[in-house]
């Protein structure tokens, strides 16, 4: 792997603020990956955490997190949804607001998709509650 560029380092720092934990262990390529794996993770990380998540002129981070939950849930991409739920909860979105988003999603994207997504939300809510109780 090459030395991290300033943009990639900034993206990793932004991601850590948004996520509440370091993204590096999840995106740094492993020895078994091809040489261009670093290019992929660098480009994707910079695009997401320098270009998109840091935009705040028109939509604040909290709202952006709720929108991202709704988009990933509507698309039915459940593992990324788990991450978006964690981001939302870490950035002040309430469980009640997330449930309201699923209610809207059920109407416009389909009840079956909403139920699948809500099953993931239940797991993340429990994980979040457990983390909160262990901190207190």
């Amino acid at each position: 792997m090459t030395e991290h560029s300033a943009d990639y380092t900034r993206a990793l720092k932004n991601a850590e603020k948004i996520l509440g934990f370091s993204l590096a262990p999840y995106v740094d390529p492993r020895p078994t990956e091809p040489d261009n794996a670093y290019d992929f993770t660098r480009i994707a990380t910079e695009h997401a955490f320098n270009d998109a998540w840091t935009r705040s002129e028109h939509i604040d981070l909290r709202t952006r997190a709720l929108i991202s939950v709704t988009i990933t849930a509507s698309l039915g991409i459940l593992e990324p949804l788990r991450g978006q739920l964690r981001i939302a909860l870490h950035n002040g979105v309430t469980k009640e607001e997330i449930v309201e988003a699923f209610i809207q999603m059920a109407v416009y994207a389909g009840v079956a998709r909403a139920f699948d997504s809500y099953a993931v939300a239940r797991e993340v809510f429990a994980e979040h509650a457990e983390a909160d109780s262990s901190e207190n």
Side-chain angles (χ1 to χ4, degrees):
M1 183 178 75
T2 60
E3 190 71 27
H4 290 331
S5 69
D7 285 342
Y8 188 57
T9 299
R10 187 172 74 248
L12 289 173
K13 287 179 183 175
N14 289 337
E16 188 167 352
K17 282 188 242 172
I18 292 164
L19 294 164
F21 59 86
S22 176
L23 186 62
Y26 302 98
V27 296
D28 282 347
R30 290 155 185 83
T32 57
E33 294 181 59
D35 292 339
N36 62 345
Y38 174 75
D39 294 333
F40 165 71
T41 58
R42 180 188 53 76
I43 291 166
T45 303
E46 287 177 8
H47 184 57
F49 293 103
N50 282 345
D51 298 338
W53 275 101
T54 57
R55 295 174 55 84
S56 62
E57 183 179 354
H58 302 289
I59 299 176
D60 62 41
L61 180 62
R62 199 175 156 286
T63 303
R64 188 175 308 282
L66 187 56
I67 290 168
S68 294
V69 164
T70 307
I71 291 168
T72 54
S74 294
L75 291 172
I77 47 177
L78 302 182
E79 196 53 39
L81 170 60
R82 194 176 303 279
Q84 297 304 323
L85 286 161
R86 290 178 183 133
I87 289 170
L89 292 168
H90 180 72
N91 288 282
V93 176
T94 67
K95 293 175 185 177
E96 293 79 9
E97 290 169 320
I98 291 169
V99 171
E100 286 298 323
F102 283 121
I103 290 169
Q104 293 300 308
M105 192 185 114
V107 172
Y108 293 102
V111 172
R113 179 67 42 95
F115 270 110
D116 277 352
S117 298
Y118 190 71
V120 173
R122 278 187 173 150
E123 293 170 7
V124 175
F125 290 166
E127 169 191 296
H128 192 259
E130 187 176 306
D132 282 349
S133 68
S134 68
E135 288 176 7
N136 296 328

